[in-house]
Amino acid sequence: MSIEVTAAQSGVRAHRKARAAAWGRFRASVPGMTGVVVLLMFALMALAYPLLMNTVWDANVYDPETGIDMVVVEKRYVREVVDPETEVGRVEAFVSDMYAQPGDVVTVRTPAGIGVAHPLSTDASGRDVLAMLLAGAGPALAMALTAALTTAFVALAVAAVSAYYGGWIDATLSSISGAVLLLPAPLLMIILGTSPAGEHIGPAQFGFIYGLLAGAGAAAIVVRSQAVTTMRRPFIDTARSSGAGSTRIIVRHLVPHLIPLAAVAMLIGVTGAIVADAFVSFLAYGENRFSWGTMINTAIRGRPNLRTLIHTEWHVLIVGGVAISLLAASFYLVAIGLHAAFDTPRFKR
Amino acid sequence: MTRYLAGRVVAGLVSLFLFVTAIFFAARWLIPRRREPGDLSATDEYFELLDGLVSGDFLNSEAMASLPWTLLILTFALGIAFPLGHWLGKVAGWKSGSAGSAGLTIGAVVMYTIFPPLLVFVLIMVVSRFTNDQGIGFLRTLYNEGGLSPDTGWSMLRTIAVVAAAAGLVALAASRLDKAIPHPVWIVGLVGIPFLIWMRRGMWGEVSDILLYLAMPITAVSILVVGEVLLVSKSTTAEAAHEDFVFTARAKGVPDREVRDHHVARYAFLPMLSKLMVSIPFILVGLMIVEMAFAWPKFGVEGGGNLGTLGMTVPGMSSTLFTSLENRDAATVVEGLIAVGVVVLTFRLILEVIQAFLDPRIRVGSREP
């Protein structure tokens, strides 16, 4: 009896030690920690938005879709606008004064622009860009986290069942994975998001459906091959001969060995979810909700040529685009860190 | 070997069948339309689709007409990005931990995770510096003058396929004879021979128009793919650098560079290939997003119906797919998605053949399933 207890205790101790070592290696990995810091920053942004809206920010000014902050300034009406800071063209001049002649000074309403109230400036219709950035963080994070967890869960379940039972169950699940892999999950999500049904899909549902597809496809294939190798290892036979049932072996012995790989696969898969989600709103199909993709859309929409875009809203496009890319990058960086923590050549041998 | 490949083909066909079935019924459910008296029932339509696939009528569909442009972009982008990413990854993985390696890794993560429309915007901005802020609208004159015919596109793809297959046979023969062909010879041969063929067949005008027109999408996709290949190649090289045979080679006094290129890089090539096999579909999505971003969909002059001077139309798969999606044309959407599936399956099989030739464990059939 006492021998058994000490064996179990030393097993637990070894597990704890291995976990502490893995955490140490993760902390030593610069990409991994950078990813964590960036993710925390996005989480802070998501939390800050409702706080600011309820306390300091006036909804009439700071709402990312309907808020407006315009100032009245005097500008000179000229035929050819050379300096948009002090001169206006025909269209804007006529809004203020129908009888204005070239050379007249007219009063026009222009966006408030960069300042203490708007650290990231405003867009062409006077909406605050920082408010847009913060408003997009919540939905994007909710989508990414749902997608990540669903991907990992589905991939683990499919891979473990496939590897444990083998035979026709494995063959069936493998062909399903192969079929799912023929249709890339991000593409299907783009099609789903742009279809009539897409209007009713919120961020969390989007992440969930993406997770089902990505988990059953690419992630399941990667995790399954690891599960098959794990099933050949002696401790599975030991567990079986000491009378453990199928559920116990899968949950207690097989799955723990797959979690690191599933985590890496899921974090890499989330990158695709973020791009797909942003692209749907970039195409302006999910117009009922605000996101970073919407920022890029509003920046480009209706610009007849590049010059007007550069002079008006390029910063909205850059802020939205960089936020999307940075969120995707942070998940990928965390995946590199996890890879370094669990999959070092020194510990594999 | 033959048995292994036959098994892979059968597994691929089973996956394709499941895929077609799922796509067909999902599309009917997702894209509802008004029923008309002459319409076929769902099952009849399904069997007609399968019939078209088996008999080859599918090759005449609308989706197939837009396929050559997507395939050309994909082939050229992979052809540029794969060797480049592999080489950079090898360098970064070998000196893992140095500042240069860290810089390459950061650059690769940026290239891999950048939002494709943002990348397209940046590229257009760069080109616009040379066109007086007028975007890349000038490229559209090539398109409007009818320089892009799908037949030329297919013919280019056939040439590339034949040259690539010949190169594979040469590589096989060289390895059997234990002769190494230097890298520069490979590069000159693989790039030069197709161009020579096109020139001799008098296609040069059309080919150069097509390449000029597709140069921007090809650059964008190459940037996305280089990042991914670099990251995978770096991690496999860094792992292989700890293997015993590397220490042995060093102990024997093999020069550092030779250990990297002949011992480590070759060993790291196989895991890289199998990792990239899973990411082919995602590369294809990135490509389709790039295609759409270049057209700046829905952002033209309001009511004018043209795209303004900002972008250009890439007449690839995504334009067929999304036009039919906007028109609620479920049949064409299904055809387009099947075309995507067939492309993914074909690339996967090609990679599996390469893998089987390179990996003796597969050749003798003792590889883990």
Side-chain angles (χ1 to χ4, degrees):
Chain A
M1 185 67 197
S2 67
I3 294 167
E4 259 176 47
V5 169
T6 39
Q9 273 173 347
S10 80
V12 168
R13 219 173 289 141
H15 268 289
R16 268 192 206 142
K17 222 173 181 182
R19 214 176 294 160
W23 170 234
R25 263 171 279 142
F26 185 84
R27 273 206 319 203
S29 137
V30 178
M33 287 314 279
T34 315
V36 169
V37 169
V38 176
L39 268 184
L40 283 177
M41 195 187 74
F42 278 120
L44 273 180
M45 281 161 58
L47 288 176
Y49 176 68
L51 271 178
L52 284 169
M53 281 309 271
N54 286 329
T55 53
V56 200
W57 281 358
D58 178 7
N60 290 326
V61 178
Y62 285 100
D63 187 283
E65 283 175 289
T66 56
I68 278 182
D69 193 358
M70 293 292 222
V71 288
V72 177
V73 289
E74 290 189 334
K75 287 188 180 180
R76 189 169 293 276
Y77 165 32
V78 290
R79 285 194 197 281
E80 290 265 332
V81 178
V82 182
D83 178 13
E85 294 292 318
T86 58
E87 294 167 348
V88 286
R90 193 163 59 96
V91 178
E92 287 130 271
F94 276 30
V95 172
S96 128
D97 179 6
M98 267 178 69
Y99 305 105
Q101 294 297 318
D104 288 357
V105 172
V106 290
T107 52
V108 285
R109 279 159 59 79
T110 53
I114 198 157
V116 182
H118 309 288
L120 289 180
S121 187
T122 50
D123 75 352
S125 33
R127 295 177 292 188
D128 183 60
V129 178
L130 181 66
M132 293 189 196
L133 179 65
L134 297 190
L141 270 183
M143 195 285 307
L145 290 179
T146 332
L149 293 178
T150 320
T151 310
F153 184 78
V154 172
L156 278 178
V158 171
V161 167
S162 209
Y164 183 83
Y165 291 103
W168 67 269
I169 294 182
D170 183 26
T172 314
L173 288 176
S174 293
S175 348
I176 292 177
S177 294
V180 173
L181 200 62
L182 288 186
L183 183 64
L187 181 61
L188 193 72
M189 291 319 290
I190 292 168
I191 286 173
L192 199 63
T194 51
S195 77
E199 285 165 28
H200 311 293
I201 299 179
Q205 281 118 315
F206 190 99
F208 179 71
I209 303 172
Y210 183 92
L212 287 183
L213 290 167
I221 289 177
V222 174
V223 181
R224 179 189 160 278
S225 61
Q226 169 92 2
V228 169
T229 358
T230 312
M231 278 306 288
R232 299 225 175 89
R233 291 184 44 189
F235 61 81
I236 298 285
D237 286 332
T238 317
R240 201 176 269 151
S241 59
S242 57
S246 54
T247 322
R248 192 180 162 85
I249 292 179
I250 289 178
V251 175
R252 297 293 297 270
H253 299 276
L254 183 54
V255 167
H257 286 265
L258 309 178
I259 283 178
L261 190 65
V264 172
M266 119 195 151
L267 291 171
I268 291 174
V270 168
T271 317
I274 293 166
V275 169
D277 180 47
F279 192 64
V280 170
S281 49
F282 163 71
L283 292 176
Y285 282 96
E287 267 179 300
N288 53 345
R289 62 191 180 85
F290 184 84
S291 72
W292 289 331
T294 325
M295 292 171 73
I296 304 184
N297 178 322
T298 48
I300 306 172
R301 187 204 292 264
R303 305 274 162 236
N305 58 48
L306 208 56
R307 197 174 279 163
T308 49
L309 176 64
I310 295 168
H311 281 314
T312 48
E313 295 200 319
W314 64 273
H315 62 286
V316 187
L317 186 151
I318 296 292
V319 168
V322 168
I324 295 164
S325 311
L326 209 58
L327 184 65
S330 67
F331 277 98
Y332 194 86
L333 289 172
V334 174
I336 294 182
L338 276 184
H339 188 82
F342 287 105
D343 202 33
T344 51
R346 248 177 314 152
F347 285 83
K348 256 201 303 196
R349 250 182 286 149
Chain B
M1 169 90 176
T2 324
R3 241 187 97 188
Y4 166 78
L5 287 179
R8 295 315 303 161
V9 171
V10 171
L13 289 179
V14 170
S15 293
L16 189 64
F17 170 72
L18 285 176
F19 167 77
V20 169
T21 311
I23 284 300
F24 175 79
F25 289 102
R28 275 189 80 94
W29 172 64
L30 272 175
I31 308 168
R33 52 166 184 186
R34 220 177 353 182
R35 298 202 52 77
E36 280 165 32
D39 276 0
L40 293 168
S41 73
T43 32
D44 285 346
E45 217 173 283
Y46 172 64
F47 282 117
E48 200 170 81
L49 178 71
L50 287 188
D51 190 50
L53 278 177
V54 175
S55 68
D57 282 348
F58 182 74
L59 294 177
N60 302 322
S61 66
E62 201 187 324
M64 292 302 278
S66 61
L67 197 55
W69 311 124
T70 302
L71 280 180
L72 275 176
I73 299 174
L74 186 64
T75 317
F76 275 95
L78 284 179
I80 295 169
F82 195 85
L84 189 64
H86 180 46
W87 182 70
L88 288 174
K90 189 172 75 178
V91 174
W94 189 240
K95 290 260 185 286
S96 185
S98 70
S101 165
L104 271 177
T105 311
I106 291 169
V109 172
V110 170
M111 286 193 280
Y112 175 56
T113 56
I114 190 170
F115 187 47
L118 180 67
L119 173 66
V120 168
F121 175 75
V122 172
L123 277 180
I124 291 183
M125 290 287 287
V126 171
V127 172
S128 297
R129 293 216 73 89
F130 304 103
T131 61
N132 194 21
D133 284 359
Q134 288 304 312
I136 50 171
F138 70 95
L139 283 173
R140 250 176 318 137
T141 51
L142 290 178
Y143 181 53
N144 294 339
E145 282 163 10
L148 305 182
S149 88
D151 291 336
T152 318
W154 280 121
S155 153
M156 284 172 75
L157 282 167
R158 271 198 300 273
T159 313
I160 294 170
V162 168
V163 171
L169 288 179
V170 170
L172 196 64
S175 77
R176 286 285 151 86
L177 296 171
D178 227 8
K179 289 254 176 359
I181 301 175
H183 284 287
V185 175
W186 275 121
I187 295 169
V188 170
L190 276 173
V191 176
I193 291 173
F195 280 91
L196 264 178
I197 293 176
W198 292 327
M199 273 187 197
R200 294 225 19 117
R201 289 178 63 188
M203 288 161 61
W204 180 240
E206 288 166 67
V207 168
S208 61
D209 272 1
I210 288 176
L211 289 183
L212 184 60
Y213 191 72
L214 297 181
M216 298 267 300
I218 289 173
T219 313
V221 178
S222 303
I223 290 175
L224 292 177
V225 179
V226 158
E228 178 164 16
V229 177
L230 200 164
L231 288 167
V232 175
S233 165
K234 186 205 161 214
S235 73
T236 48
T237 309
E239 274 166 38
H242 294 273
E243 296 284 343
D244 290 334
F245 65 82
V246 178
F247 291 113
T248 315
R250 278 194 172 153
K252 284 198 300 188
V254 181
D256 199 55
R257 215 187 144 92
E258 204 158 301
V259 177
R260 185 190 79 188
D261 291 351
H262 292 262
H263 297 248
V264 175
R266 285 182 178 185
Y267 178 81
F269 194 71
L270 283 173
M272 189 175 89
L273 214 54
S274 62
K275 276 185 187 171
L276 285 177
M277 215 134 76
V278 188
S279 53
I280 284 286
F282 298 95
I283 293 175
L284 199 59
V285 181
L287 163 58
M288 292 177 80
I289 291 181
V290 164
E291 279 182 8
M292 298 233 7
F294 266 111
W296 293 124
K298 294 178 117 192
F299 305 126
V301 179
E302 306 276 331
N306 66 43
L307 291 158
T309 43
L310 257 181
M312 62 190 232
T313 323
V314 182
M317 304 254 285
S318 61
S319 75
T320 309
L321 202 56
F322 285 91
T323 314
S324 50
L325 206 62
E326 292 222 306
N327 300 336
R328 305 274 168 88
D329 178 1
T332 314
V333 172
V334 170
E335 280 173 4
L337 289 180
I338 292 174
V340 172
V342 171
V343 170
V344 172
L345 193 63
T346 314
F347 268 85
R348 204 155 80 187
L349 281 175
I350 293 173
L351 283 182
E352 267 164 357
V353 171
I354 296 176
Q355 212 176 17
F357 272 114
L358 291 179
D359 194 344
R361 286 170 298 182
I362 296 179
R363 228 179 292 153
V364 295
S366 71
R367 206 182 124 97
E368 320 264 72

